[in-house]
């Protein structure tokens, strides 16, 4: 085996290991294992038998195998960028929703506090009204 | 202090989104609070003393702990306004002093005639002119108007004027999700989708050096268009 083949396959195994270590829910974990195994098989085949990739490239109308790989990588990167963008947008919207809810809740709380206080003040006044000026204590 | 004008405006809520406007905010709020009994200031995470100035006024203050953009702030204000059952008209207004309070009153008077669901202030109508907008700004506004007419079919003459009045029902249709300036187009789109009947009336806009320095640069219109297309 060539050194480059060892390095490529080794780094794939490393990345696959890291991505599978963080277990989420069962369904998406199963899906991820499926994706990792099939992509891994593809990469291993391409790395171990470079001629195979070139013949596939020729078949679809691309000169060299490496070029075909480059094009595929470009598409994958574009997909990832769009995907990340959409996810970030969703996260931004969630943050906005949170901030809004917090602002409304805080104002609501303050509102009821002000109302309660003004009610208490009114109560105070009515209670004290009969004897606003209590007679000075004889000293 | 309730004035006679307050009584007439009992069912109106004025929403003012604020982001770092400490310099002019007090004057703006004093003016608006004298006319309208319910003024809702949404402080959009200002880093200056805007929030304290707003709190010292008679306005209700909602504060975003993080800056989420003018559209988000308006949406927060709308939601608060609609929680109050007496609210039948909601007005939005900028906080930088470019809008005149008496124009807001005219918008409310117009919507009270009952034949429209939304009244928009326009800089382009009538004798008000565009209040001394610079050439570049005027060109940019025209472009925005053409794009909006094309995309919404609404015969508006001004698309990015922050002075608007909505009926309760129309305001309740708003779900502004564009944080930045594209929310102005988003409002118009919501109006178009809900087949709201709209009217425009000329309003004066004073572009002081202050508001000009705060206003968005014309370059940003590119971003607005991209935002709208990328949804």
């Amino acid at each position: 085996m060539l050194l480059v083949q060892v390095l490529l396959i080794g780094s794939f195994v490393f990345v696959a290991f890291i991505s599978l270590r963080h277990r989420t829910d069962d369904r998406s974990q199963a899906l991820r294992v499926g994706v990792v195994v099939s992509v891994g098989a593809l990469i291993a085949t391409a790395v171990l038998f470079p001629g195979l990739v070139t013949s596939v490239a020729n078949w679809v109308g691309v000169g060299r195998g490496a070029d075909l790989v480059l094009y595929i990588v470009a598409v994958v990167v574009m997909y990832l960028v769009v995907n990340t963008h959409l996810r970030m947008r969703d996260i931004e919207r969630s943050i906005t929703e949170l901030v809004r809810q917090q602002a409304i809740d805080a104002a609501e709380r303050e509102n009821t506090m002000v109302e309660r206080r003004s009610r208490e003040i009114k109560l105070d006044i009515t209670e004290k009204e009969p004897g606003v000026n209590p007679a000075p204590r004889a000293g | 202090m309730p004035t006679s004008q307050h009584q007439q405006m009992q069912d109106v809520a004025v929403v003012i989104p604020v982001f770092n406007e400490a310099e002019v905010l007090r004057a703006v709020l004093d003016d608006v609070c004298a006319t309208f009994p319910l003024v809702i200031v949404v402080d959009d995470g200002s880093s200056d003393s805007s929030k304290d100035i707003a709190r010292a006024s008679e306005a209700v203050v909602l504060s975003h702990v993080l800056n989420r953009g003018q559209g988000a702030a308006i949406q927060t204000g709308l939601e608060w306004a609609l929680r109050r059952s007496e609210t039948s008209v909601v007005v939005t207004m900028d906080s930088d002093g470019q809008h005149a309070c008496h124009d807001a009153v005219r918008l409310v008077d117009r919507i009270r005639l009952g034949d429209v669901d939304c009244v928009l202030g326009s800089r382009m109508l009538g004798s008000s002119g565009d209040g001394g907008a610079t050439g570049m700004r005027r060109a940019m506004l025209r472009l925005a108007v053409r794009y909006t007419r094309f995309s919404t079919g609404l015969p508006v003459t001004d698309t990015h004027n922050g002075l608007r009045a909505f009926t309760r029902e129309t305001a309740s249709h708003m779900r502004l999700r564009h944080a930045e300036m594209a929310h102005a187009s988003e409002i118009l789109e919501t109006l178009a989708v809900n087949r709201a009947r709209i009217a425009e009336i000329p309003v004066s806009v004073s572009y002081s050096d202050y508001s000009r320095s705060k206003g968005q640069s014309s370059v940003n219109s590119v971003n607005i268009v991209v935002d709208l297309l990328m949804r």
Side-chain angles (χ1 to χ4, degrees):
Chain A
M1 213 157 45
L2 294 167
L3 180 60
V4 67
Q5 293 175 326
V6 177
L7 287 176
L8 284 172
I9 292 176
S11 35
F12 173 76
V13 168
F14 177 68
V15 172
F17 177 74
I18 289 177
S19 83
L20 290 180
R21 242 179 46 173
H22 292 281
R23 213 189 150 87
T24 51
D25 60 300
D26 288 346
R27 179 179 293 218
S28 59
Q29 180 74 3
L31 193 76
R32 248 165 38 180
V33 171
V35 169
V36 166
V37 168
S38 43
V39 170
L42 264 175
I43 289 179
T45 320
V47 168
L48 294 175
F49 312 103
L52 211 64
V53 183
T54 303
S55 45
V56 172
N58 287 331
W59 183 63
V60 297
V62 177
R64 293 187 314 164
D67 290 344
L68 179 65
V69 172
L70 180 71
Y71 299 149
I72 293 174
V73 168
V75 171
V76 169
V77 168
M78 272 191 316
Y79 167 78
L80 289 178
V81 167
V82 170
N83 208 27
T84 311
H85 172 80
L86 292 178
R87 273 184 101 156
M88 295 233 311
R89 198 188 60 180
D90 286 348
I91 292 171
E92 290 283 329
R93 286 181 177 169
S94 306
I95 294 173
T96 300
E97 204 44 57
L98 267 175
V99 167
R100 172 169 304 135
Q101 214 48 58
Q102 195 274 339
I104 289 176
D105 286 352
E108 185 92 311
R109 232 174 299 133
E110 199 166 311
N111 229 12
T112 51
M113 246 160 62
V114 169
E115 265 167 31
R116 197 177 307 152
R117 210 173 302 150
S118 66
R119 217 177 304 139
E120 277 165 14
I121 290 170
K122 266 184 213 143
L123 267 178
D124 260 18
I125 291 170
T126 47
E127 273 169 9
K128 279 182 184 160
E129 217 134 41
V132 174
N133 289 318
R137 227 183 282 166
Chain B
M1 318 130 244
T3 62
S4 63
Q5 203 153 19
H6 271 181
Q7 310 258 270
Q8 290 165 32
M9 295 295 176
Q10 229 25 274
D11 61 336
V12 179
V14 180
V15 173
I16 305 184
V18 173
F19 180 60
N20 291 349
E21 302 282 5
E23 222 172 294
V24 291
L25 190 59
R26 188 187 316 254
V28 170
L29 290 182
D30 282 352
D31 201 19
V32 179
C33 287
T35 308
F36 296 97
L38 178 59
V39 177
I40 301 164
V41 169
V42 184
D43 170 50
D44 194 21
S46 296
S47 52
D48 63 5
S49 56
S50 294
K51 190 167 144 187
D52 300 327
I53 291 172
R55 282 191 184 285
S57 76
E58 281 167 50
V60 174
V61 183
L62 298 175
S63 31
H64 283 179
V65 287
L66 297 170
N67 178 246
R68 301 312 293 161
Q70 197 179 26
I74 290 176
Q75 181 67 36
T76 301
L78 290 180
E79 289 186 14
W80 180 267
L82 294 173
R83 288 162 74 96
R84 205 182 60 134
S85 54
E86 301 101 290
T87 304
S88 60
V89 177
V90 185
V91 173
T92 67
M93 199 172 177
D94 287 358
S95 56
D96 58 1
Q98 64 166 288
H99 295 138
C101 193
H102 61 83
D103 278 333
V105 173
R106 287 172 52 231
L107 259 68
V108 172
D109 290 344
R110 178 68 187 83
I111 208 165
R112 287 230 167 103
L113 295 181
D115 60 330
V116 289
D117 307 302
C118 171
V119 182
L120 303 169
S122 172
R123 290 163 280 197
M124 306 299 182
L125 274 181
S127 58
S128 66
D130 35 21
T134 58
M136 185 61 189
R137 180 173 294 265
R138 211 173 306 153
M140 174 190 133
L141 290 170
R142 292 251 164 83
L143 195 73
V145 166
R146 210 162 299 163
Y147 175 75
T148 309
R149 281 190 182 170
F150 167 74
S151 65
T152 65
L154 293 176
V156 291
T157 60
D158 188 1
T159 53
H160 285 71
N161 193 313
L163 191 55
R164 315 174 181 91
F166 306 101
T167 59
R168 182 185 182 90
E169 146 119 52
T170 310
S172 69
H173 290 144
M174 295 297 160
R175 303 273 181 284
L176 305 181
R177 283 146 62 105
H178 279 291
E180 290 316 317
M181 277 310 284
H183 73 268
S185 310
E186 207 179 9
I187 289 174
L188 294 173
E189 270 166 34
T190 310
L191 294 173
V193 167
N194 291 293
R195 302 190 176 283
R197 297 160 300 170
I198 67 165
E200 271 187 322
I201 62 174
V203 297
S204 57
V205 169
S206 52
Y207 285 114
S208 58
D209 285 344
Y210 175 75
S211 73
R212 231 189 303 262
S213 73
K214 299 285 293 194
Q216 51 186 327
S217 81
S218 300
V219 177
N220 203 19
S221 58
V222 176
N223 298 339
I224 292 175
V225 172
V226 172
D227 268 1
L228 287 169
L229 295 177
M230 279 288 292
R231 226 148 355 138

